[in-house]
PDB file of all heavy atoms in Angstrom:
ATOM      1  N   LEU A  81     250.866 121.475  69.946  1.00  0.00           N
ATOM      2  CA  LEU A  81     251.165 122.215  71.182  1.00  0.00           C
ATOM      3  C   LEU A  81     251.265 121.189  72.337  1.00  0.00           C
ATOM      4  O   LEU A  81     250.341 120.445  72.585  1.00  0.00           O
ATOM      5  CB  LEU A  81     250.047 123.215  71.556  1.00  0.00           C
ATOM      6  CG  LEU A  81     250.149 123.949  72.905  1.00  0.00           C
ATOM      7  CD1 LEU A  81     251.426 124.864  72.964  1.00  0.00           C
ATOM      8  CD2 LEU A  81     248.903 124.732  73.198  1.00  0.00           C
ATOM      9  N   ASP A  82     252.407 121.141  72.983  1.00  0.00           N
ATOM     10  CA  ASP A  82     252.647 120.277  74.151  1.00  0.00           C
ATOM     11  C   ASP A  82     252.650 121.184  75.403  1.00  0.00           C
ATOM     12  O   ASP A  82     253.422 122.122  75.483  1.00  0.00           O
ATOM     13  CB  ASP A  82     253.972 119.551  74.067  1.00  0.00           C
ATOM     14  CG  ASP A  82     254.210 118.621  75.217  1.00  0.00           C
ATOM     15  OD1 ASP A  82     253.215 117.965  75.708  1.00  0.00           O
ATOM     16  OD2 ASP A  82     255.346 118.585  75.753  1.00  0.00           O
ATOM     17  N   THR A  83     251.732 120.952  76.330  1.00  0.00           N
ATOM     18  CA  THR A  83     251.538 121.834  77.491  1.00  0.00           C
ATOM     19  C   THR A  83     252.307 121.200  78.709  1.00  0.00           C
ATOM     20  O   THR A  83     252.499 120.008  78.795  1.00  0.00           O
ATOM     21  CB  THR A  83     250.050 122.018  77.847  1.00  0.00           C
ATOM     22  OG1 THR A  83     249.544 120.770  78.275  1.00  0.00           O
ATOM     23  CG2 THR A  83     249.276 122.492  76.646  1.00  0.00           C
ATOM     24  N   GLY A  84     252.703 122.117  79.653  1.00  0.00           N
ATOM     25  CA  GLY A  84     253.342 121.606  80.857  1.00  0.00           C
ATOM     26  C   GLY A  84     254.585 120.886  80.513  1.00  0.00           C
ATOM     27  O   GLY A  84     254.931 119.820  81.068  1.00  0.00           O
ATOM     28  N   SER A  85     255.423 121.430  79.558  1.00  0.00           N
ATOM     29  CA  SER A  85     256.517 120.668  78.998  1.00  0.00           C
ATOM     30  C   SER A  85     257.791 120.600  79.800  1.00  0.00           C
ATOM     31  O   SER A  85     258.615 119.758  79.522  1.00  0.00           O
ATOM     32  CB  SER A  85     256.836 121.310  77.587  1.00  0.00           C
ATOM     33  OG  SER A  85     255.699 121.279  76.793  1.00  0.00           O
ATOM     34  N   PHE A  86     258.017 121.573  80.670  1.00  0.00           N
ATOM     35  CA  PHE A  86     259.321 121.617  81.370  1.00  0.00           C
ATOM     36  C   PHE A  86     259.625 120.354  82.035  1.00  0.00           C
ATOM     37  O   PHE A  86     258.802 119.721  82.664  1.00  0.00           O
ATOM     38  CB  PHE A  86     259.426 122.725  82.384  1.00  0.00           C
ATOM     39  CG  PHE A  86     260.708 122.680  83.124  1.00  0.00           C
ATOM     40  CD1 PHE A  86     261.901 122.906  82.493  1.00  0.00           C
ATOM     41  CD2 PHE A  86     260.715 122.384  84.474  1.00  0.00           C
ATOM     42  CE1 PHE A  86     263.083 122.759  83.194  1.00  0.00           C
ATOM     43  CE2 PHE A  86     261.832 122.310  85.184  1.00  0.00           C
ATOM     44  CZ  PHE A  86     263.092 122.477  84.553  1.00  0.00           C
ATOM     45  N   ASN A  87     260.838 119.882  81.832  1.00  0.00           N
ATOM     46  CA  ASN A  87     261.439 118.633  82.470  1.00  0.00           C
ATOM     47  C   ASN A  87     260.728 117.411  81.902  1.00  0.00           C
ATOM     48  O   ASN A  87     260.774 116.347  82.519  1.00  0.00           O
ATOM     49  CB  ASN A  87     261.336 118.690  84.000  1.00  0.00           C
ATOM     50  CG  ASN A  87     262.404 117.797  84.603  1.00  0.00           C
ATOM     51  OD1 ASN A  87     263.578 117.877  84.113  1.00  0.00           O
ATOM     52  ND2 ASN A  87     262.050 117.057  85.586  1.00  0.00           N
ATOM     53  N   THR A  88     260.091 117.545  80.756  1.00  0.00           N
ATOM     54  CA  THR A  88     259.636 116.374  79.988  1.00  0.00           C
ATOM     55  C   THR A  88     260.319 116.414  78.617  1.00  0.00           C
ATOM     56  O   THR A  88     260.827 117.390  78.179  1.00  0.00           O
ATOM     57  CB  THR A  88     258.111 116.323  79.842  1.00  0.00           C
ATOM     58  OG1 THR A  88     257.739 117.316  78.931  1.00  0.00           O
ATOM     59  CG2 THR A  88     257.417 116.557  81.224  1.00  0.00           C
ATOM     60  N   TYR A  89     260.236 115.335  77.906  1.00  0.00           N
ATOM     61  CA  TYR A  89     260.888 115.182  76.633  1.00  0.00           C
ATOM     62  C   TYR A  89     259.921 114.770  75.502  1.00  0.00           C
ATOM     63  O   TYR A  89     260.402 114.454  74.390  1.00  0.00           O
ATOM     64  CB  TYR A  89     262.150 114.227  76.773  1.00  0.00           C
ATOM     65  CG  TYR A  89     262.951 114.801  77.888  1.00  0.00           C
ATOM     66  CD1 TYR A  89     262.795 114.298  79.192  1.00  0.00           C
ATOM     67  CD2 TYR A  89     263.852 115.822  77.699  1.00  0.00           C
ATOM     68  CE1 TYR A  89     263.489 114.844  80.256  1.00  0.00           C
ATOM     69  CE2 TYR A  89     264.601 116.384  78.758  1.00  0.00           C
ATOM     70  CZ  TYR A  89     264.384 115.876  80.038  1.00  0.00           C
ATOM     71  OH  TYR A  89     265.100 116.420  81.093  1.00  0.00           O
ATOM     72  N   LEU A  90     258.671 114.809  75.802  1.00  0.00           N
ATOM     73  CA  LEU A  90     257.668 114.446  74.782  1.00  0.00           C
ATOM     74  C   LEU A  90     257.788 115.304  73.564  1.00  0.00           C
ATOM     75  O   LEU A  90     257.629 114.905  72.404  1.00  0.00           O
ATOM     76  CB  LEU A  90     256.246 114.496  75.400  1.00  0.00           C
ATOM     77  CG  LEU A  90     255.121 114.194  74.443  1.00  0.00           C
ATOM     78  CD1 LEU A  90     255.233 112.792  73.850  1.00  0.00           C
ATOM     79  CD2 LEU A  90     253.783 114.391  75.119  1.00  0.00           C
ATOM     80  N   GLY A  91     258.140 116.600  73.767  1.00  0.00           N
ATOM     81  CA  GLY A  91     258.270 117.530  72.645  1.00  0.00           C
ATOM     82  C   GLY A  91     259.319 117.023  71.612  1.00  0.00           C
ATOM     83  O   GLY A  91     259.107 117.203  70.383  1.00  0.00           O
ATOM     84  N   LEU A  92     260.327 116.335  72.078  1.00  0.00           N
ATOM     85  CA  LEU A  92     261.349 115.771  71.123  1.00  0.00           C
ATOM     86  C   LEU A  92     260.686 114.754  70.267  1.00  0.00           C
ATOM     87  O   LEU A  92     260.958 114.616  69.032  1.00  0.00           O
ATOM     88  CB  LEU A  92     262.543 115.237  71.891  1.00  0.00           C
ATOM     89  CG  LEU A  92     263.304 116.243  72.778  1.00  0.00           C
ATOM     90  CD1 LEU A  92     264.361 115.472  73.653  1.00  0.00           C
ATOM     91  CD2 LEU A  92     264.001 117.272  71.907  1.00  0.00           C
ATOM     92  N   TRP A  93     259.912 113.840  70.932  1.00  0.00           N
ATOM     93  CA  TRP A  93     259.229 112.830  70.204  1.00  0.00           C
ATOM     94  C   TRP A  93     258.196 113.363  69.236  1.00  0.00           C
ATOM     95  O   TRP A  93     258.075 112.982  68.023  1.00  0.00           O
ATOM     96  CB  TRP A  93     258.528 111.836  71.218  1.00  0.00           C
ATOM     97  CG  TRP A  93     257.817 110.690  70.636  1.00  0.00           C
ATOM     98  CD1 TRP A  93     256.571 110.599  70.211  1.00  0.00           C
ATOM     99  CD2 TRP A  93     258.401 109.420  70.381  1.00  0.00           C
ATOM    100  NE1 TRP A  93     256.309 109.341  69.714  1.00  0.00           N
ATOM    101  CE2 TRP A  93     257.420 108.629  69.844  1.00  0.00           C
ATOM    102  CE3 TRP A  93     259.704 108.885  70.632  1.00  0.00           C
ATOM    103  CZ2 TRP A  93     257.641 107.313  69.452  1.00  0.00           C
ATOM    104  CZ3 TRP A  93     259.917 107.610  70.305  1.00  0.00           C
ATOM    105  CH2 TRP A  93     258.890 106.740  69.713  1.00  0.00           C
ATOM    106  N   LEU A  94     257.468 114.400  69.659  1.00  0.00           N
ATOM    107  CA  LEU A  94     256.428 115.022  68.792  1.00  0.00           C
ATOM    108  C   LEU A  94     257.071 115.715  67.579  1.00  0.00           C
ATOM    109  O   LEU A  94     256.483 115.759  66.510  1.00  0.00           O
ATOM    110  CB  LEU A  94     255.679 116.051  69.661  1.00  0.00           C
ATOM    111  CG  LEU A  94     254.764 115.505  70.691  1.00  0.00           C
ATOM    112  CD1 LEU A  94     254.218 116.644  71.587  1.00  0.00           C
ATOM    113  CD2 LEU A  94     253.712 114.638  70.217  1.00  0.00           C
ATOM    114  N   ALA A  95     258.261 116.194  67.713  1.00  0.00           N
ATOM    115  CA  ALA A  95     258.978 116.832  66.595  1.00  0.00           C
ATOM    116  C   ALA A  95     259.316 115.846  65.478  1.00  0.00           C
ATOM    117  O   ALA A  95     259.539 116.251  64.359  1.00  0.00           O
ATOM    118  CB  ALA A  95     260.253 117.572  67.115  1.00  0.00           C
ATOM    119  N   ARG A  96     259.184 114.566  65.730  1.00  0.00           N
ATOM    120  CA  ARG A  96     259.372 113.547  64.729  1.00  0.00           C
ATOM    121  C   ARG A  96     258.211 113.469  63.809  1.00  0.00           C
ATOM    122  O   ARG A  96     258.368 113.113  62.605  1.00  0.00           O
ATOM    123  CB  ARG A  96     259.524 112.113  65.335  1.00  0.00           C
ATOM    124  CG  ARG A  96     260.789 111.902  66.151  1.00  0.00           C
ATOM    125  CD  ARG A  96     260.761 110.604  66.905  1.00  0.00           C
ATOM    126  NE  ARG A  96     259.866 109.536  66.451  1.00  0.00           N
ATOM    127  CZ  ARG A  96     260.143 108.235  66.567  1.00  0.00           C
ATOM    128  NH1 ARG A  96     261.242 107.829  67.115  1.00  0.00           N
ATOM    129  NH2 ARG A  96     259.284 107.365  66.124  1.00  0.00           N
ATOM    130  N   ILE A  97     257.046 113.842  64.329  1.00  0.00           N
ATOM    131  CA  ILE A  97     255.792 113.660  63.526  1.00  0.00           C
ATOM    132  C   ILE A  97     255.223 114.956  63.077  1.00  0.00           C
ATOM    133  O   ILE A  97     254.443 115.022  62.110  1.00  0.00           O
ATOM    134  CB  ILE A  97     254.746 112.799  64.244  1.00  0.00           C
ATOM    135  CG1 ILE A  97     254.332 113.492  65.616  1.00  0.00           C
ATOM    136  CG2 ILE A  97     255.248 111.409  64.447  1.00  0.00           C
ATOM    137  CD1 ILE A  97     253.169 112.887  66.254  1.00  0.00           C
ATOM    138  N   GLY A  98     255.528 116.093  63.775  1.00  0.00           N
ATOM    139  CA  GLY A  98     254.920 117.360  63.458  1.00  0.00           C
ATOM    140  C   GLY A  98     255.830 118.269  62.686  1.00  0.00           C
ATOM    141  O   GLY A  98     257.038 118.234  62.855  1.00  0.00           O
ATOM    142  N   LYS A  99     255.244 119.097  61.893  1.00  0.00           N
ATOM    143  CA  LYS A  99     256.058 120.134  61.161  1.00  0.00           C
ATOM    144  C   LYS A  99     256.426 121.243  62.074  1.00  0.00           C
ATOM    145  O   LYS A  99     257.533 121.789  61.945  1.00  0.00           O
ATOM    146  CB  LYS A  99     255.160 120.669  60.046  1.00  0.00           C
ATOM    147  CG  LYS A  99     255.904 121.697  59.158  1.00  0.00           C
ATOM    148  CD  LYS A  99     255.111 122.177  57.992  1.00  0.00           C
ATOM    149  CE  LYS A  99     255.882 123.116  57.114  1.00  0.00           C
ATOM    150  NZ  LYS A  99     255.095 123.538  55.956  1.00  0.00           N
ATOM    151  N   ARG A 100     255.531 121.592  63.032  1.00  0.00           N
ATOM    152  CA  ARG A 100     255.805 122.690  64.030  1.00  0.00           C
ATOM    153  C   ARG A 100     255.324 122.174  65.384  1.00  0.00           C
ATOM    154  O   ARG A 100     254.138 121.830  65.552  1.00  0.00           O
ATOM    155  CB  ARG A 100     255.090 123.929  63.573  1.00  0.00           C
ATOM    156  CG  ARG A 100     255.189 125.019  64.607  1.00  0.00           C
ATOM    157  CD  ARG A 100     254.532 126.269  64.044  1.00  0.00           C
ATOM    158  NE  ARG A 100     254.551 127.324  65.014  1.00  0.00           N
ATOM    159  CZ  ARG A 100     253.446 127.886  65.566  1.00  0.00           C
ATOM    160  NH1 ARG A 100     252.197 127.465  65.200  1.00  0.00           N
ATOM    161  NH2 ARG A 100     253.530 128.747  66.479  1.00  0.00           N
ATOM    162  N   VAL A 101     256.265 122.206  66.326  1.00  0.00           N
ATOM    163  CA  VAL A 101     255.897 121.766  67.677  1.00  0.00           C
ATOM    164  C   VAL A 101     256.222 122.906  68.630  1.00  0.00           C
ATOM    165  O   VAL A 101     257.363 123.376  68.588  1.00  0.00           O
ATOM    166  CB  VAL A 101     256.715 120.516  68.070  1.00  0.00           C
ATOM    167  CG1 VAL A 101     256.395 120.096  69.529  1.00  0.00           C
ATOM    168  CG2 VAL A 101     256.303 119.341  67.135  1.00  0.00           C
ATOM    169  N   VAL A 102     255.294 123.301  69.472  1.00  0.00           N
ATOM    170  CA  VAL A 102     255.507 124.247  70.506  1.00  0.00           C
ATOM    171  C   VAL A 102     255.439 123.564  71.846  1.00  0.00           C
ATOM    172  O   VAL A 102     254.490 122.896  72.186  1.00  0.00           O
ATOM    173  CB  VAL A 102     254.362 125.354  70.486  1.00  0.00           C
ATOM    174  CG1 VAL A 102     254.609 126.363  71.635  1.00  0.00           C
ATOM    175  CG2 VAL A 102     254.346 126.028  69.104  1.00  0.00           C
ATOM    176  N   VAL A 103     256.561 123.578  72.574  1.00  0.00           N
ATOM    177  CA  VAL A 103     256.618 123.111  73.945  1.00  0.00           C
ATOM    178  C   VAL A 103     256.334 124.309  74.878  1.00  0.00           C
ATOM    179  O   VAL A 103     256.898 125.342  74.630  1.00  0.00           O
ATOM    180  CB  VAL A 103     257.921 122.355  74.326  1.00  0.00           C
ATOM    181  CG1 VAL A 103     258.027 121.127  73.540  1.00  0.00           C
ATOM    182  CG2 VAL A 103     259.112 123.228  74.137  1.00  0.00           C
ATOM    183  N   SER A 104     255.424 124.145  75.800  1.00  0.00           N
ATOM    184  CA  SER A 104     254.999 125.285  76.600  1.00  0.00           C
ATOM    185  C   SER A 104     254.919 124.999  78.045  1.00  0.00           C
ATOM    186  O   SER A 104     254.738 123.847  78.444  1.00  0.00           O
ATOM    187  CB  SER A 104     253.619 125.806  76.091  1.00  0.00           C
ATOM    188  OG  SER A 104     252.616 124.825  76.366  1.00  0.00           O
ATOM    189  N   ASP A 105     255.114 125.993  78.835  1.00  0.00           N
ATOM    190  CA  ASP A 105     254.965 125.943  80.317  1.00  0.00           C
ATOM    191  C   ASP A 105     255.062 127.375  80.789  1.00  0.00           C
ATOM    192  O   ASP A 105     255.136 128.346  79.933  1.00  0.00           O
ATOM    193  CB  ASP A 105     256.110 125.070  80.897  1.00  0.00           C
ATOM    194  CG  ASP A 105     255.687 124.375  82.191  1.00  0.00           C
ATOM    195  OD1 ASP A 105     255.014 125.035  83.000  1.00  0.00           O
ATOM    196  OD2 ASP A 105     256.006 123.224  82.354  1.00  0.00           O
ATOM    197  N   LEU A 106     254.980 127.556  82.060  1.00  0.00           N
ATOM    198  CA  LEU A 106     255.267 128.881  82.646  1.00  0.00           C
ATOM    199  C   LEU A 106     256.776 128.907  82.986  1.00  0.00           C
ATOM    200  O   LEU A 106     257.181 128.664  84.099  1.00  0.00           O
ATOM    201  CB  LEU A 106     254.385 129.034  83.909  1.00  0.00           C
ATOM    202  CG  LEU A 106     252.894 129.035  83.647  1.00  0.00           C
ATOM    203  CD1 LEU A 106     252.131 129.084  84.997  1.00  0.00           C
ATOM    204  CD2 LEU A 106     252.445 130.113  82.724  1.00  0.00           C
ATOM    205  N   PHE A 107     257.554 129.161  81.933  1.00  0.00           N
ATOM    206  CA  PHE A 107     258.990 128.999  82.031  1.00  0.00           C
ATOM    207  C   PHE A 107     259.696 129.899  83.064  1.00  0.00           C
ATOM    208  O   PHE A 107     260.626 129.471  83.687  1.00  0.00           O
ATOM    209  CB  PHE A 107     259.662 129.034  80.622  1.00  0.00           C
ATOM    210  CG  PHE A 107     259.319 127.909  79.748  1.00  0.00           C
ATOM    211  CD1 PHE A 107     258.740 128.094  78.531  1.00  0.00           C
ATOM    212  CD2 PHE A 107     259.555 126.631  80.145  1.00  0.00           C
ATOM    213  CE1 PHE A 107     258.421 127.052  77.711  1.00  0.00           C
ATOM    214  CE2 PHE A 107     259.301 125.521  79.285  1.00  0.00           C
ATOM    215  CZ  PHE A 107     258.650 125.781  78.109  1.00  0.00           C
ATOM    216  N   GLY A 108     259.157 131.146  83.126  1.00  0.00           N
ATOM    217  CA  GLY A 108     259.775 132.036  84.169  1.00  0.00           C
ATOM    218  C   GLY A 108     259.670 131.471  85.583  1.00  0.00           C
ATOM    219  O   GLY A 108     260.596 131.452  86.337  1.00  0.00           O
ATOM    220  N   ALA A 109     258.456 130.989  85.876  1.00  0.00           N
ATOM    221  CA  ALA A 109     258.260 130.356  87.174  1.00  0.00           C
ATOM    222  C   ALA A 109     259.064 129.082  87.398  1.00  0.00           C
ATOM    223  O   ALA A 109     259.584 128.881  88.454  1.00  0.00           O
ATOM    224  CB  ALA A 109     256.731 130.046  87.362  1.00  0.00           C
ATOM    225  N   ARG A 110     259.203 128.329  86.349  1.00  0.00           N
ATOM    226  CA  ARG A 110     259.999 127.049  86.389  1.00  0.00           C
ATOM    227  C   ARG A 110     261.482 127.423  86.628  1.00  0.00           C
ATOM    228  O   ARG A 110     262.122 126.782  87.446  1.00  0.00           O
ATOM    229  CB  ARG A 110     259.841 126.282  85.138  1.00  0.00           C
ATOM    230  CG  ARG A 110     258.429 125.682  84.879  1.00  0.00           C
ATOM    231  CD  ARG A 110     258.161 124.717  86.044  1.00  0.00           C
ATOM    232  NE  ARG A 110     257.115 123.829  85.601  1.00  0.00           N
ATOM    233  CZ  ARG A 110     256.932 122.618  86.003  1.00  0.00           C
ATOM    234  NH1 ARG A 110     257.735 122.095  86.920  1.00  0.00           N
ATOM    235  NH2 ARG A 110     256.017 121.800  85.579  1.00  0.00           N
ATOM    236  N   TRP A 111     262.027 128.423  85.887  1.00  0.00           N
ATOM    237  CA  TRP A 111     263.403 128.868  86.111  1.00  0.00           C
ATOM    238  C   TRP A 111     263.596 129.346  87.463  1.00  0.00           C
ATOM    239  O   TRP A 111     264.569 128.950  88.124  1.00  0.00           O
ATOM    240  CB  TRP A 111     263.719 129.934  85.082  1.00  0.00           C
ATOM    241  CG  TRP A 111     265.079 130.461  85.273  1.00  0.00           C
ATOM    242  CD1 TRP A 111     266.240 129.886  84.798  1.00  0.00           C
ATOM    243  CD2 TRP A 111     265.491 131.646  86.010  1.00  0.00           C
ATOM    244  NE1 TRP A 111     267.316 130.715  85.321  1.00  0.00           N
ATOM    245  CE2 TRP A 111     266.874 131.741  85.969  1.00  0.00           C
ATOM    246  CE3 TRP A 111     264.697 132.574  86.705  1.00  0.00           C
ATOM    247  CZ2 TRP A 111     267.565 132.736  86.542  1.00  0.00           C
ATOM    248  CZ3 TRP A 111     265.452 133.608  87.316  1.00  0.00           C
ATOM    249  CH2 TRP A 111     266.854 133.703  87.292  1.00  0.00           C
ATOM    250  N   LYS A 112     262.635 130.110  87.997  1.00  0.00           N
ATOM    251  CA  LYS A 112     262.806 130.702  89.350  1.00  0.00           C
ATOM    252  C   LYS A 112     262.800 129.584  90.409  1.00  0.00           C
ATOM    253  O   LYS A 112     263.626 129.579  91.307  1.00  0.00           O
ATOM    254  CB  LYS A 112     261.662 131.659  89.681  1.00  0.00           C
ATOM    255  CG  LYS A 112     261.748 132.271  91.010  1.00  0.00           C
ATOM    256  CD  LYS A 112     260.515 133.223  91.275  1.00  0.00           C
ATOM    257  CE  LYS A 112     260.659 133.854  92.638  1.00  0.00           C
ATOM    258  NZ  LYS A 112     259.477 134.715  92.893  1.00  0.00           N
ATOM    259  N   LYS A 113     261.937 128.654  90.245  1.00  0.00           N
ATOM    260  CA  LYS A 113     261.878 127.503  91.197  1.00  0.00           C
ATOM    261  C   LYS A 113     263.178 126.716  91.155  1.00  0.00           C
ATOM    262  O   LYS A 113     263.701 126.278  92.199  1.00  0.00           O
ATOM    263  CB  LYS A 113     260.662 126.631  90.938  1.00  0.00           C
ATOM    264  CG  LYS A 113     260.326 125.658  92.008  1.00  0.00           C
ATOM    265  CD  LYS A 113     259.177 124.758  91.677  1.00  0.00           C
ATOM    266  CE  LYS A 113     257.932 125.419  92.299  1.00  0.00           C
ATOM    267  NZ  LYS A 113     256.763 124.480  92.189  1.00  0.00           N
TER     268      LYS A 113
END
Side-chain angles (χ1 to χ4, degrees):
L81 174 65
D82 181 40
T83 67
S85 302
F86 174 64
N87 207 44
T88 73
Y89 306 92
L90 178 59
L92 300 172
W93 185 269
L94 295 171
R96 293 171 21 149
I97 60 170
K99 182 176 183 180
R100 175 176 175 242
V101 176
V102 177
V103 293
S104 67
D105 210 317
L106 299 175
F107 290 123
R110 293 296 203 152
W111 176 83
K112 181 180 177 184
K113 192 179 264 188

